[in-house]
Every structure is written in structure tokens, then in C-alpha cells.
Amino acid sequence: MAVTIRVLLVDDQPLLRTGFRLILEAEPDLTVVGEAGDGKAAQDQSRALLPDVVLMDIRMPGVDGIDATRRIVREASAGAHVPKVLVLTTFDLDEYIVEALRAGASGFLLKDVPPDELVQAIRVVAAGDAIVAPSVTRRLLDRFAARLPSAYQQATPARLDRLTERELEVLRLIARGMSNAEIAAKLVVSETTVKTHVGNVLTKLALRDRVQAVVLAYETGLITPGAIS
């Protein structure tokens, strides 16, 4: 049986929510289970409707998208159903994106993302992966990673001693925004082998997903702003 991905739309602009709904409900494996116009309503709707993915705006009245993401993800500690959060923004709000990722978002997209990319991103996030768009992530982390506060501020390069040389190499490539397929081609190994290395990296470093791996790589100095060509 085909799996239907349940999506909650969160944006304070009704017209945008309508547009997203039309795009998503044209797909046979996606269904919009609800809408919310602010972060507090998003938290309530998430708890009541149990979506698989929350498409979250950042700038909203009252509780914003960052705080809403933090609240929704935090409920995991209580054993509650926790959806994946996919944040939407405009490019001039880069600094908010970093905070959203640290709050627990599984990725981010620009609001002018093409419909097919939006649909694919929701599928990827629902499957448990994270969206790290290289064209945006590289500029974003180059600009902000060196100065934003972080839960990883106490981390040192010694933390990376847990990794093998190959796992460290894979982490560097993840931080450059490369997909599993791209990493496999560069290292001349199978994609299955890369998935194993990625899983080992996340487990050994106690990271939730690839997004946290990218941030950690910058903040431990494994990758430095401006180092990506």
C-alpha cells in the first residue's frame, strides 16, 4: 500500500497556505491535514493532527516559527509523536534559519522554491533525512557559523576522535553539502557504504541528522567559513 504523508501548513498568510495546499494535494502521496497561522496554533495542531511533516514559516505574530519548532521537537522527550519540521524563509533571513536548525528543524527551503522541489523535500524529510541545500547552506554557514551561539560551543576537535579517517572524510563531504550519491562517486564506493558511514558519524557524535552534522563540522573547525569552493 502507498504511504500517505500528512502535512501541516503553518504560515500567517492565507494566500500562501492556499497555494501550498494546491501544490501538495495534487500529489497522490501527500495530504494536507491542517493549517495554522501562528506558532502556538501550529503546536496545538501538531499535537492534535499528528502530521508527518510541518511546513513552517518563520516570521509570524505571537509565537514565531523558531520557537514553535523548538516546542514541537521538545515533545519528543515526553514520548509524543514528533513530526519533522521543514522551515520556509526568504533569503534575507539567513540568521533565523541557523536558529531554526538548532531548534530542531530537519531542513529549510526558500519560499520561491519550485513546486517539484518542495514536494520532493517533503518526501525526503518525511523519510527521516534532512534537507541541506548546498547553494544556500554554503552561503549561510559561511556568513553566520563563526559568530552565532550554539549548543556545541563546548565541543572541540577532540570530539571528532571518535571517528575513523574515512568517517571524518565523509563528514567533511556532508559539510560541503554533498548527497550520498555524490559522496559515493567521489570516494569510489557504493552508496550503501556511504549510508553506513553517515549513520556511524551521526551515532558516534550523537547527532540527529545531516543538518546538525554540517553545523558541528563548522563549529569544531573541521570546515571553516570560506573553505568551500
Side-chain angles (χ1 to χ4, degrees):
M1 294 179 61
V3 176
T4 299
I5 300 171
R6 298 163 55 83
V7 182
L8 173 63
L9 301 178
V10 184
D11 197 295
D12 62 336
Q13 299 184 50
L15 285 177
L16 278 178
R17 296 201 306 268
T18 298
F20 289 137
R21 178 184 283 272
L22 290 173
I23 292 170
L24 302 186
E25 292 196 333
E27 301 296 322
D29 60 333
L30 302 181
T31 183
V32 176
V33 296
E35 299 181 16
D38 61 69
K40 177 60 168 63
Q43 184 184 15
D44 294 340
Q45 291 276 58
S46 176
R47 189 181 298 118
L49 299 174
L50 304 181
D52 299 304
V53 176
V54 178
L55 204 58
M56 180 79 75
D57 186 23
I58 287 186
R59 288 192 127 182
M60 295 181 291
V63 177
D64 65 19
I66 295 173
D67 197 17
T69 296
R70 187 176 294 110
R71 295 183 185 188
I72 289 171
V73 173
R74 186 181 297 154
E75 293 190 352
S77 61
H81 169 81
V82 180
K84 305 295 184 180
V85 179
L86 184 56
V87 171
L88 293 173
T89 188
T90 52
F91 193 68
D92 60 351
L93 299 178
D94 287 343
E95 64 272 30
Y96 295 105
I97 292 299
V98 175
E99 295 303 324
L101 296 178
R102 288 177 179 149
S106 292
F108 64 90
L109 295 173
L110 302 184
K111 281 193 173 181
D112 61 356
V113 62
D116 59 330
E117 291 185 19
L118 172 63
V119 168
Q120 182 59 23
I122 290 173
R123 290 173 179 148
V124 168
V125 168
D129 208 340
I131 295 298
V132 183
S135 62
V136 178
T137 303
R138 294 176 186 182
R139 294 168 63 185
L140 180 151
L141 289 176
D142 280 355
R143 183 175 175 186
F144 292 103
R147 64 179 177 84
L148 283 179
S150 166
Y152 293 121
Q153 278 185 328
Q154 301 304 315
T156 66
R159 179 180 182 183
L160 303 180
D161 287 345
R162 306 170 192 176
L163 305 182
T164 65
E165 284 300 318
R166 177 46 62 94
E167 289 164 354
L168 202 59
E169 187 174 14
V170 168
L171 177 56
R172 288 192 183 95
L173 298 177
I174 292 173
R176 287 180 167 84
M178 296 178 70
S179 67
N180 285 351
E182 291 169 333
I183 294 173
K186 183 173 182 61
L187 299 182
V188 195
V189 296
S190 71
E191 194 168 342
T192 299
T193 298
V194 172
K195 288 180 181 179
T196 298
H197 288 317
V198 172
N200 289 341
V201 168
L202 299 183
T203 299
K204 289 182 178 181
L205 298 180
L207 302 174
R208 184 186 63 250
D209 53 38
R210 297 169 76 101
V211 173
Q212 287 194 338
V214 172
V215 174
L216 180 61
Y218 273 78
E219 293 175 336
T220 58
L222 183 65
I223 295 292
T224 57
I228 296 177
S229 58

